[in-house]
Amino acid sequence: MGVFSKVHRYREAGNKANVHNVENFGEPARSLFTTTKVFTLHHHIDITNEREEVVYQADSKVVSIHDKTDVTDAAGRQVAHIERKVFSLHERHRITMADGTNFELSNELLHLIKDISNIEGLGWQLRGNVLGLNFELYDKDGSIIAVIGQKMISLHDKYCIDIYKPQHEQKVIAILITLQHMMRDRVNSASASSGN
C-alpha cells in the first residue's frame, strides 16, 4: 500500500480497511461510504454499506440560509436534522437526533492544516488533516469512534467512514454529513473570495 495509504485513508467499498487505521485502531466494526448526487434540485447524499446498498440518505434544500438537512434511514425514518446557525461569529451547525439528543459542530478551528473541533453537547472531538482529507472522531475519554477519509479528486464528493463504536453510528453519520456541508461551504467561500 505504501506511504500514500498511511497519509490518505479513503477506500472504495469492497477494499480492505486502510493499513494505517488497522495499525492504530484495529479492524473497524463497520464501514460506510457516501456519494453526493450532483446536478439535482436538492443536495442529496447516499450513505451505503460494503455491498453498496443505501442505508442512510441526506437531503438538503438547495436555497436555504439555514442549510437545513434531514438524514433518514433506508426505510425513510428520521435519523437527524441539521441546521446552520446563521448569527454566529464562526459557522456552526446544530444537529438534532431523532431521539431528541442535540449537539453542535463548529468549523471555527477548521482553518489550519491540523484541526481540532469540539462537538458541544457530546464532549467529543473531531481531529482533522484538511490537506490529507482525513478526520478522526474521538469520544470524551479519548477513544476512537470513527475515521473518515475523503476521496482526493471526485465529481461526487466521496467519503469512507470506518466506525469503531457502532452504537454511535447514527451520530457519526450526522457528524459526517455536517462535515461535508462545512467542507463544501469552505470551497464555495474560497471560490467567492478568489472571484472578487
Side-chain angles (χ1 to χ4, degrees), residues 131-156:
L131 294 182
L133 301 173
N134 298 316
F135 300 89
E136 295 169 357
L137 183 61
Y138 292 91
D139 68 14
K140 61 185 178 194
D141 300 318
S143 297
I144 192 74
I145 298 170
V147 177
I148 299 166
Q150 182 183 6
K151 188 169 184 178
M152 217 164 260
I153 299 169
S154 171
L155 262 180
H156 299 285

Side-chain angles (χ1 to χ4, degrees), residues 27 96 116 184 190:
E27 288 286 340
T96 304
I116 295 177
R184 187 193 69 203

